[in-house]
Amino acid sequence: MNFNLTILGSGSATPMLGRHPTAHLLEIDSDYFLVDCGEGTQYRLMEHKLRPGRLRYVFISHLHGDHYFGLVALLSSLNLAGRQEDLYLFGPRGLVDILTLQFRYSDTRLGFALHFQETDPTQPTLLLDLPHLAVESIPLEHRIDCTGYIFREKPRKRKLIKEKLPTDMPIDYLRRLKDGEDISDEAGNVLYSQADYTLPAPPSRSYAFCSDTRYTESFLDQIAGVEVLYHEATFLDDLTERAIEVFHSTARQAATIAAKAAAGRLLIGHFSSRYKQTDGFLAEARSVFPETYLAIEGQTIEL
Ligand SMILES: [Zn+2]
Ligand SMILES: [Zn+2]
């Protein structure tokens, strides 16, 4: 199963040429999950050959424009393209009112069902529970209500050792072996033991998106051991006071969270436009957490 993350925007609120506002696209199995939808996100999708028609789930962290101004445009374009499949939208209180008002005054009638679920900024909530994946919200500390999201793959199946398997083994046996079951005859004698014919399941993949927040350890338990953590890093260390004032984080703070959560990798983004270069972010974060990478627009990370 695919579990790919593409960064579509790494900038923050002040517009800057060459850096776009926040949007991350996860491709899991055959579905697209869009996380935040800054201005121009539909163009970023097209630019990176990602078909907007494959979107099924959209998650919005909060109502600062750099995280959702692209949403009305994207939904309108999906409608123009004749979309009929249901779309699932998760986001803060008020988002659906904004959309309804815009659609009312443009006399837009969506040809598809838009299912909206309001996020709770005060406690982690299970939002999606699919057979292969669960998505929870993460309460963050920002100037307005804001939630991150964590995507966790459900436990994977054991791997069959193909060379060892008899060619005529029934499909049902294969399925049970992959589930970790032994195959026994009616008398209870083990015919095929899962330990002999399978290898342990590969680790489950996970991705946490922690957008716009000031430094807080309140969600450490929820993201403990996550494979890839995205944490905003709007400022460098010298502006820590400013970061606290405006409810944002520094690269060092993002790295501290990654280290305390024992994340596999850290991705940082939401860089303030006052920094024309991003090298400083990487150096500062790596001094605390060496497995840090910059969120580079257009880059796809395979989990
Ligand atoms: Zn922002
Ligand atoms: Zn914000």
Side-chain angles (χ1 to χ4, degrees):
M1 186 177 87
N2 290 339
F3 203 121
N4 299 335
L5 168 69
T6 304
I7 307 296
L8 301 170
S10 64
S12 55
T14 306
M16 178 180 166
L17 281 176
R19 217 181 269 167
H20 300 99
T22 306
H24 289 192
L25 188 87
L26 277 165
E27 182 185 5
I28 302 174
D29 209 359
S30 54
D31 286 322
Y32 279 178
F33 299 73
L34 180 65
V35 192
D36 276 351
C37 186
E39 186 181 343
T41 294
Q42 59 174 334
Y43 294 98
R44 306 283 92 67
L45 289 167
M46 287 156 75
E47 202 177 317
H48 302 302
K49 313 250 180 315
L50 299 161
R51 287 190 291 118
R54 280 178 64 190
L55 275 172
R56 202 160 146 75
Y57 304 98
V58 179
F59 299 83
I60 300 295
S61 63
H62 66 303
L63 293 182
H64 282 152
D66 54 318
H67 297 261
Y68 86 101
F69 277 171
L71 187 59
V72 169
L74 175 65
L75 295 178
S76 304
S77 300
L78 289 174
N79 200 42
L80 270 179
R83 184 189 178 97
Q84 293 183 332
E85 300 78 29
D86 293 11
L87 190 77
Y88 298 85
L89 174 66
F90 303 86
R93 190 175 62 86
L95 177 59
V96 83
D97 300 338
I98 295 170
L99 295 177
T100 305
L101 192 73
Q102 296 227 18
F103 291 142
R104 186 195 304 157
Y105 286 101
S106 59
D107 193 24
T108 301
R109 282 157 232 258
L110 294 182
F112 58 91
L114 181 64
H115 305 276
F116 177 68
Q117 185 175 336
E118 194 174 296
T119 46
D120 181 343
T122 64
Q123 54 187 343
T125 312
L126 178 65
L127 298 174
L128 257 189
D129 192 12
L130 304 174
H132 58 296
L133 181 82
V135 186
E136 285 168 26
S137 61
I138 306 172
L140 300 174
E141 287 185 19
H142 197 38
R143 200 158 54 75
I144 57 172
D145 289 349
C146 186
T147 54
Y149 297 98
I150 181 162
F151 296 76
R152 285 182 221 277
E153 186 181 22
K154 299 267 177 86
R156 298 169 79 176
K157 302 215 181 278
R158 295 180 67 86
K159 281 198 149 170
L160 296 168
I161 308 172
K162 297 223 169 80
E163 313 79 75
K164 280 196 178 181
L165 293 167
T167 48
D168 56 349
M169 187 178 261
I171 287 176
D172 176 54
Y173 283 15
L174 298 175
R175 187 186 53 75
R176 285 161 61 193
L177 286 171
K178 279 165 79 172
D179 284 341
E181 247 183 77
D182 291 338
I183 311 292
S184 308
D185 63 14
E186 279 169 16
N189 305 307
V190 174
L191 301 175
Y192 303 105
S193 134
Q194 51 91 9
D196 291 341
Y197 290 93
T198 63
L199 295 171
S204 296
R205 293 162 287 184
S206 54
Y207 173 64
F209 172 88
C210 297
S211 154
D212 291 27
T213 184
R214 79 175 157 189
Y215 182 86
T216 171
E217 298 184 358
S218 60
F219 56 82
L220 275 183
D221 286 349
Q222 208 189 344
I223 62 163
V226 70
E227 184 182 352
V228 176
L229 167 66
Y230 166 81
H231 192 292
E232 71 123 294
T234 306
F235 300 108
L236 291 175
D237 213 16
D238 56 323
L239 290 179
T240 304
E241 288 306 309
R242 173 89 185 131
I244 294 168
E245 249 173 61
V246 294
F247 293 82
H248 280 298
S249 301
T250 66
R252 178 179 305 281
Q253 290 174 330
T256 306
I257 293 294
K260 292 197 173 192
R265 268 182 281 175
L266 170 66
L267 266 181
I268 49 174
H270 200 267
F271 309 119
S272 162
S273 61
R274 76 178 66 219
Y275 305 100
K276 303 301 169 225
Q277 307 296 329
T278 46
D279 317 5
F281 288 94
L282 195 60
E284 182 178 302
R286 280 192 174 167
S287 71
V288 177
F289 188 77
E291 276 300 300
T292 301
Y293 300 88
L294 296 174
I296 294 174
E297 296 184 13
Q299 193 179 64
T300 298
I301 298 155
E302 285 179 32
L303 276 77

